[in-house]
Amino acid sequence: MLAKRIIPCLDVKNGRVVKGIHFRNLRDAGDPVQNAAFYSKESADELVFLDITATIENRKTVVNMVRKTAARVFIPFAVGGGIRNIKDIGVLLRSGADKISINTAAIKDPLLIKRASRKFGSQCVVVAIDAKRITKVKSQIAKCKMSPLALNGQAEGISLPAQQKFKTLTRNTLSAPMNIGARPRPSAYWGGHLTPSSRWEVYVNGGNTPTGIDAVKWAKKAEKLGAGEILLTSMDRDGTLDGYDIPLTRAVSEAVNIPVIASGGVGNLKHLYDGIAKGKADAVLAASIFHYRKYSIRQAKQYLRKRGIPVRI
Amino acid sequence: MIAVINYGAGNLYSISKALEGLGASVKITDSPSVLSSASAVVLPGVGAFDEAMAILRKTGLADAIKRSAEGGKPFLGICLGMQLLFSGSEEGKSKGLGIFKGTVRQFSRKLKVPHMGWNVVRQRNQSPLWKGLPGRRCWMYFAHSFYPIPADKEVIAATTDYGVKFASMVRRDNVLGTQFHPEKSGTYGLIFLKNFLELIHTKE
């Protein structure tokens, strides 16, 4: 029987593993290769590296990290962050990554998923979706007054004009997707934009930019284009330790026929169980509970096994 | 020297590093002549069936692979590299290498496809290849949407369940094919590769 996978996620910045809340307040958590070797020994089923620097200058650092890891660690791992095109994907796969994870680039150019899966096979194309619950327009605006904004990838302060800009954008996103790149808006040819029945919206640029795209529809579209897996992160839960967004995980997992990795919010072992049993996830991803050694992977597996979840022990 | 065949898209780095880590000398190659001087050949693989076959034919590797396999050289096909050894595949229109008779079929869409992750490999018979591996809970890593159906059931060396019971390893004499990725299957995978390397030494 196919085992449910436990996947530690390593956020990497300038070659170091870091952990923060809502992509902010980053704390150092060590060397990526050492971390990977440790988790492999601990019987982690797979690893995900997310390069949160994701700048063009930083590509070399990432490729070096991938090569070093692949030479020492013999379990599958995925790499995401800052991947823009087929060339980036090819370099990472040839350097020893088993999978690549694309997020913003796939929203900007959905056909990248198709080209990548044709060339390298679906099994290595992970589409990462950062999804956020849709609250009322008003409350979204209230939230943005309290926190710094970042639009189109550029961080901005809490100046009044920025707030005005965000208000306009927020309103617009609920009716029509904003233009986030030079390519045609995805909705222009596949109609994945938010509707009154939408419950989660896709965000890009490290969770900074709303897209006006419905997360469940986007997952289905990604599957159709050849994605081999969905890495689904709840932005509301990420870093909170409150558990996965179960309705989101379940909605996406039931909508697609490819494996779904639940991500964002794990604080204890029951959350992992809930992600699989209630959220119907095929794999569960967590970061801080493993990095700070609150639980070992083995403990997590024993916990799941006791409750009837098939795991590799 | 072990020749790891390079035919474009695949991840050759992991399998090469795994074999090197076990003490083998490895040459990544797309040259038919290197194949003939190698003591063993590995055909790794990810990607699409037709595209891979087209490259193997164009480069002359297809014939070189057949010669190596039929000449008694230890040969290991991994994942797509195993599927290419069959007569053909539902994934494409091209003929395969035909070293094993049979076809390659897609998993039922009632299941989540790709079959992605760790699954149990059940050995069908005793073999030095299984030395040091558990008989019952031998977990290996899979990432594929198609699986082989050998015409000759005798070649099935191991099976795995995913909706159907499929051949996760085939073997005829010196020619081995694994649907799982030993180079990505942690400790058990490395033990398997070590056993493969020992096959070469006993051969010599």
Side-chain angles (χ1 to χ4, degrees):
Chain A
M1 191 175 197
L2 184 63
K4 299 291 178 184
R5 286 168 284 157
I6 297 185
I7 307 177
C9 177
L10 303 146
D11 285 349
V12 178
K13 191 182 179 186
N14 300 323
R16 297 285 293 176
V17 177
V18 290
K19 183 63 194 167
I21 293 172
H22 291 287
F23 299 115
R24 292 186 186 93
N25 303 321
L26 302 170
R27 286 166 66 182
D28 190 273
D31 171 66
V33 184
Q34 273 175 15
N35 267 283
F38 171 80
Y39 286 129
S40 166
K41 220 174 166 185
E42 271 245 285
S43 85
D45 297 307
E46 197 167 325
L47 300 167
V48 170
F49 287 105
L50 272 185
D51 170 36
I52 59 169
T53 336
T55 56
I56 292 166
E57 304 82 62
N58 198 46
R59 298 312 300 165
K60 266 193 189 152
T61 318
V62 176
V63 171
N64 277 338
M65 178 195 79
V66 168
R67 290 183 76 87
K68 276 195 226 156
T69 307
R72 268 192 64 189
V73 179
F74 296 99
I75 59 168
F77 67 92
V79 182
I83 295 168
R84 293 153 303 148
N85 50 42
I86 283 282
K87 200 177 143 231
D88 292 344
I89 294 172
V91 169
L92 290 170
L93 294 176
R94 276 192 296 277
S95 305
D98 300 280
K99 305 174 184 180
I100 51 83
S101 161
I102 46 176
N103 186 337
T104 308
I107 287 277
K108 279 187 182 168
D109 175 14
L111 293 176
L112 177 62
I113 301 171
K114 194 172 197 171
R115 292 196 298 276
S117 64
R118 284 238 173 110
K119 185 154 176 137
F120 305 109
S122 281
Q123 83 294 330
C124 67
V125 182
V126 182
V127 171
I129 301 177
D130 290 343
K132 195 168 181 178
R133 254 169 208 278
I134 296 164
T135 48
K136 286 184 183 134
V137 180
K138 262 189 188 168
S139 60
Q140 271 188 356
I141 293 165
K143 241 188 260 166
C144 89
K145 280 183 183 166
M146 295 185 295
S147 64
L149 309 171
L151 295 165
N152 289 326
Q154 292 169 325
E156 293 183 40
I158 327 173
S159 65
L160 202 63
Q163 279 181 33
Q164 284 304 126
K165 194 175 164 194
F166 191 70
K167 272 186 200 174
T168 321
L169 281 166
T170 315
R171 276 202 207 99
N172 287 346
T173 57
L174 292 175
S175 51
M178 60 188 288
N179 191 357
I180 52 158
R183 295 267 177 176
R185 289 174 294 183
S187 67
Y189 55 94
W190 66 275
H193 52 75
L194 297 174
T195 59
S197 64
S198 295
R199 296 176 65 195
W200 299 275
E201 181 178 4
V202 177
Y203 276 61
V204 292
N205 292 329
N208 283 313
T209 314
T211 62
I213 293 167
D214 180 302
V216 178
K217 285 185 199 162
W218 173 231
K220 287 170 96 159
K221 178 67 180 176
E223 175 186 21
K224 220 177 196 174
L225 289 167
E229 208 163 14
I230 302 284
L231 168 50
L232 179 67
T233 302
S234 160
M235 291 185 53
D236 305 288
R237 294 301 179 88
D238 193 45
T240 64
L241 308 181
D242 289 338
Y244 297 117
D245 183 334
I246 296 297
L248 166 70
T249 309
R250 188 168 182 148
V252 171
S253 196
E254 286 178 345
V256 297
N257 214 13
I258 50 179
V260 172
I261 306 168
S263 156
V266 174
N268 60 46
L269 299 181
K270 185 172 181 298
H271 293 154
L272 297 176
Y273 174 81
D274 288 345
I276 296 165
K278 296 182 187 160
K280 309 280 174 205
D282 301 279
V284 282
L285 181 142
S288 59
I289 60 160
F290 297 132
H291 291 329
Y292 298 128
R293 311 283 184 258
K294 189 174 173 192
Y295 303 100
S296 70
I297 306 270
R298 243 170 253 286
Q299 270 176 303
K301 285 194 170 178
Q302 274 155 2
Y303 179 93
L304 294 175
R305 193 186 190 180
K306 255 191 209 155
R307 285 155 187 81
I309 305 280
V311 288
R312 175 179 71 110
I313 290 190
Chain B
M1 176 267 294
I2 298 173
V4 173
I5 300 174
N6 179 10
Y7 55 101
N11 172 7
L12 308 169
Y13 191 75
S14 301
I15 181 70
S16 308
K17 287 291 158 192
L19 292 169
E20 280 171 12
L22 294 165
S25 95
V26 173
K27 196 160 188 178
I28 295 176
T29 183
D30 58 0
S31 143
S33 64
V34 173
L35 256 63
S36 53
S37 61
S39 56
V41 178
V42 176
L43 181 61
V46 290
F49 193 90
D50 280 0
E51 210 171 301
M53 275 314 301
I55 298 170
L56 292 181
R57 291 234 162 79
K58 207 172 96 190
T59 49
L61 283 165
D63 289 334
I65 289 169
K66 274 191 189 170
R67 274 197 305 274
S68 304
E70 280 157 12
K73 200 169 276 186
F75 189 100
L76 173 61
I78 299 171
C79 196
L80 178 67
M82 171 216 212
Q83 296 175 2
L84 294 169
L85 302 178
F86 282 81
S87 318
S89 169
E90 281 182 3
E91 191 190 355
K93 295 186 181 82
S94 299
K95 271 192 177 169
L97 293 164
I99 294 166
F100 289 105
K101 297 252 175 311
T103 186
V104 175
R105 187 173 292 168
Q106 188 161 23
F107 282 114
S108 153
R109 295 298 294 180
K110 284 179 197 147
L111 302 161
K112 289 219 170 181
V113 177
H115 172 225
M116 175 93 74
W118 298 76
N119 206 332
V120 172
V121 170
R122 267 190 217 87
Q123 303 141 21
R124 276 192 73 205
N125 38 35
Q126 293 264 316
S127 155
L129 282 164
W130 302 123
K131 199 177 78 189
L133 291 171
R136 290 191 57 208
R137 300 190 74 79
C138 186
W139 292 97
M140 295 286 189
Y141 181 75
F142 292 83
H144 61 122
S145 304
F146 294 80
Y147 64 96
I149 304 176
D152 176 6
K153 304 297 172 211
E154 288 299 302
V155 303
I156 300 172
T159 60
T160 295
D161 290 323
Y162 190 59
V164 289
K165 191 180 188 186
F166 70 93
S168 47
M169 178 174 158
V170 292
R171 180 181 184 183
R172 198 177 57 223
D173 308 323
N174 58 309
V175 188
L176 271 66
T178 62
Q179 188 56 70
F180 55 87
H181 287 269
E183 79 282 15
K184 285 291 167 181
S185 296
T187 314
Y188 290 168
L190 294 177
I191 292 173
F192 180 88
L193 288 175
K194 189 169 148 266
N195 293 343
F196 173 69
L197 291 178
E198 272 165 21
L199 205 69
I200 302 168
H201 299 310
T202 50
K203 187 90 199 157
E204 281 164 354

